[in-house]
Amino acid sequence: MSGFSIDWLTLREPYDLRARNPAVLDAVGAAFDTLASVQVVDLACGTGSTLRALGPHLPARQNWKLVDNDLGLLARATASPLAKHAAVAAIPLDLNRDLEAAFDGPVDLVTASALLDLVSETWLNRLAVEIAARSIPLYAALSYDGRIAFTPSDPFDAAITAAVNAHQRTDKGFGPALGPAAAAFAIARFESLGYSVAHGASDWTMGPDDIDIQSEILAGWASAAQDMAALSFADTAAWLKRRHAAVAAGRSSLHVGHVDFFATPSATR
Ligand SMILES: C[S@@+](CC[C@H](N)C(=O)[O-])C[C@H]1O[C@@H](n2cnc3c(N)ncnc32)[C@H](O)[C@@H]1O
């Protein structure tokens, strides 16, 4: 499965949904509970998981602009079952090149999930300046923060984790990525622009029964470690073989750190 494939995004969605920080979701809902309707722009929407996760927390009348540069994902996102009153539009856009165009027209809320760890400091600054100029709040969920805990432990876990975190900082299409530093950087940046930020952990927890997703993640991490040439090919392959054996034996668990935040400007629209 590739990094942004429908199969991968579909596999991870229930884990993302379970991981989303409930206090942060409640804070988003509370910010809009006096409005009759809300206009949302979801950046890098994928198959529309943010719409499905956040929609029930927002006023019944919702207008979503789903933005992505992958036409297949956009088609899937707009075909998904929606809240009764939600109007959904697909906006094909390269967010690296044309970020500013995403905010054309009225916007009450900008959302993003599993995006900020892919972007560079420069791009995140651009996003912050752009939406602060319009006093728009931002809900940003599921930014990977570099923490991984493996059960059972393996002598190569630390080296693989270091390689994964180094790989996370390579260019994902937006310049050198912030990777594990993204959420902390973004929170500090929005606070410096006068925003109040509610934040909390949204960690993935996967137990022995979560076989498919653990298998995918472990294979992805082995591939990232190989790209970074952190360990020898033989050591990486041996690590993956031991990990897959633990998954198959029902002895494997994973804990993966993420952060959610909701940033609101001092004077909301
Ligand atoms: C990790 S996925 C997250 C998708 C979705 N937000 C979710 O939480 O399931 C990252 C998304 O970023 C999109 N993306 C990557 N580069 C992009 C770009 N330059 N412009 C617009 N979207 C981009 C991908 O197509 C993919 O949908």
Side-chain angles (χ1 to χ4, degrees):
M1 286 182 200
S2 83
F4 307 143
S5 71
I6 288 180
D7 286 349
W8 164 243
L9 296 180
T10 303
L11 180 61
R12 66 174 283 176
E13 183 168 349
Y15 298 93
D16 285 345
L17 185 61
R18 196 171 67 193
R20 284 175 191 265
N21 188 284
V24 175
L25 273 173
D26 285 348
V28 181
F32 297 99
D33 65 1
T34 57
L35 296 188
S37 66
V38 63
Q39 320 260 355
V40 188
V41 172
D42 185 35
L43 303 176
C45 63
T47 63
S49 69
T50 302
L51 164 64
R52 289 183 287 277
L54 184 61
H57 297 264
L58 294 175
R61 284 181 50 214
Q62 299 166 24
N63 196 310
W64 286 74
K65 284 185 182 170
L66 302 181
V67 182
D68 208 286
N69 67 345
D70 183 316
L71 299 182
L73 293 178
L74 277 176
R76 173 63 74 100
T78 49
S80 78
L82 304 168
K84 203 170 162 200
H85 299 283
V88 177
I91 313 287
L93 207 61
D94 178 343
L95 284 168
N96 186 40
R97 202 184 52 201
D98 298 321
L99 169 66
E100 295 72 13
F103 309 120
D104 284 350
V107 185
D108 298 310
L109 171 65
V110 172
T111 62
S113 294
L115 171 67
L116 297 191
D117 45 28
L118 303 176
V119 308
S120 63
E121 194 173 314
T122 303
W123 190 92
L124 195 49
N125 269 320
R126 213 170 126 200
L127 171 70
V129 165
E130 198 64 34
I131 68 175
R134 296 167 164 80
S135 292
I136 303 171
L138 171 69
Y139 169 61
L142 297 156
S143 299
Y144 170 65
D145 73 359
R147 292 174 296 124
I148 302 174
F150 298 90
T151 306
S153 65
D154 184 281
F156 289 161
D157 289 345
I160 295 284
T161 302
V164 167
N165 288 343
H167 192 274
Q168 288 278 321
R169 287 187 166 274
T170 60
D171 192 331
K172 306 291 190 297
F174 295 87
L178 280 159
F185 179 87
I187 289 167
R189 188 69 186 98
F190 278 97
E191 285 176 342
S192 78
L193 289 166
Y195 276 59
S196 302
V197 184
H199 56 90
S202 52
D203 296 355
W204 279 346
T205 334
M206 289 148 191
D209 292 338
D210 301 316
I211 291 167
D212 291 347
I213 192 149
Q214 287 199 59
S215 304
E216 276 301 320
I217 289 171
L218 294 166
W221 287 344
S223 163
Q226 220 179 306
D227 284 354
M228 302 309 290
L231 294 88
S232 69
F233 178 80
D235 283 348
T236 303
W239 174 85
L240 185 59
K241 193 172 171 193
R242 289 192 294 276
R243 282 270 156 239
H244 276 155
V247 171
R251 291 188 298 110
S252 177
S253 300
L254 280 180
H255 191 99
V256 184
H258 292 90
V259 175
D260 290 356
F261 71 85
F262 178 48
T264 40
S266 42
T268 41
R269 292 149 59 89

